[in-house]
Amino acid sequence: MAGKITALRVQKKRRNRVNVYVDGEFAFGLQDVLAAKLSVGQELGDDEIEALKRQDSVESAYEKALYYLSYRPRSEQEIERYLQGKGLDEEATATVLDRLRHARLVGDAEFAEFCVENRETFRPRGPWALRAELRQKGVADEIIDQALEAVDEEKSAMEAAERVVHRFARLDADTFWRRLMGYLQRRGFGYGVSRRVVDEMWKQVAGDADKDAEPR
């Protein structure tokens, strides 16, 4: 395939890609940022062509990673799995991840903080559930520990309970306790914290003498 570049033509359907013609025949396609370094009449050896193809693979993968990140922040392991699922090898995947790190577009410490803050704001979870979720996304335990330091478990449990307590407000004491306790524990809150929150919620919804008995 080695030879002289005879034409560089922008693709009609993908304007960010350029078709490279060598000795009058189509040879390969490249991202425009890579093709910009080439010129008609330039001689290319086999090794140079393979290097360009390799760079193009990495550049295309980088764009895919940016698109993947456009929906929400991702952990490094999520991105790694995504790129390898697209057929990228380990070396090229590592190159893309390095570029994303240098661009401050990925980092597990920041990702873990985002996840914890997001849950705290929209769907409060206990430390156990948060830890399990972050582990599943490949975040290291020491980073998880740091992200969870700021979590006030009792405050989060109270906020979680306040969002759903209206569902149980007309229940008797024991049923109220059982349902709300189960709800909180399924969301990763500890027994002691859940118990205190449920007791407090019962005091708020009971109100009248007919519901003065505390749940067991």
Side-chain angles (χ1 to χ4, degrees):
M1 187 178 289
K4 183 183 292 185
I5 297 176
T6 51
L8 297 166
R9 297 173 184 166
V10 176
Q11 294 182 6
K12 292 181 179 179
K13 292 185 178 180
R14 301 175 67 186
R15 306 297 293 179
N16 66 329
R17 292 192 64 79
V18 174
N19 290 335
V20 180
Y21 292 79
V22 175
D23 294 335
E25 296 184 358
F26 171 77
F28 52 91
L30 286 178
Q31 292 282 330
D32 52 7
V33 294
L34 297 174
K37 302 174 183 178
L38 304 178
S39 59
V40 173
Q42 180 179 346
E43 294 282 349
L44 289 178
D46 288 334
D47 289 344
E48 290 174 302
I49 290 173
E50 288 306 310
L52 284 168
K53 288 181 177 180
R54 179 75 173 174
Q55 291 172 38
D56 182 64
S57 175
V58 171
E59 197 66 38
S60 296
Y62 185 74
E63 286 194 356
K64 288 184 175 70
L66 291 178
Y67 181 75
Y68 187 54
L69 282 164
S70 68
Y71 290 95
R72 66 166 176 81
R74 311 278 181 175
S75 70
E76 293 190 17
Q77 189 176 97
E78 283 183 294
I79 296 172
E80 184 178 356
R81 290 171 179 168
Y82 173 78
L83 293 175
Q84 291 180 351
K86 296 293 182 181
L88 208 64
D89 61 35
E90 290 185 11
E91 183 181 351
T93 297
T95 300
V96 172
L97 279 169
D98 280 342
R99 285 181 63 181
L100 292 170
R101 291 188 196 104
H102 282 111
R104 292 181 165 273
L105 294 173
V106 67
D108 279 353
E110 294 80 3
F111 172 75
E113 288 178 9
F114 166 83
C115 286
V116 170
E117 289 175 4
N118 184 267
R119 286 300 190 206
E120 290 285 281
T121 301
F122 299 106
R123 299 180 68 185
R125 292 286 187 275
W128 180 87
L130 291 170
R131 182 177 296 277
E133 182 178 349
L134 289 169
R135 275 179 174 168
Q136 187 178 28
K137 296 180 186 300
V139 180
D141 282 343
E142 58 269 24
I143 293 177
I144 297 174
D145 289 341
Q146 188 175 13
L148 294 179
E149 283 180 359
V151 174
D152 184 333
E153 184 178 4
E154 192 146 345
K155 179 174 179 289
S156 295
M158 187 68 74
E159 290 177 356
E162 287 172 346
R163 292 167 189 250
V164 298
V165 69
H166 64 278
R167 303 180 194 172
F168 316 125
R170 296 183 179 277
L171 299 175
D172 63 84
D174 287 340
T175 306
F176 176 93
W177 186 90
R178 187 173 62 253
R179 296 272 184 88
L180 188 52
M181 188 76 173
Y183 177 87
L184 292 174
Q185 291 196 288
R186 286 193 300 274
R187 279 149 185 78
F189 295 105
Y191 178 87
V193 167
S194 298
R195 175 70 191 242
R196 288 193 296 274
V197 169
V198 172
D199 287 345
E200 179 61 31
M201 287 292 101
W202 176 255
K203 291 176 183 177
Q204 291 183 26
V205 302
D208 57 74
D210 291 336
K211 286 188 173 182
D212 202 28
E214 295 228 347
R216 291 195 295 264

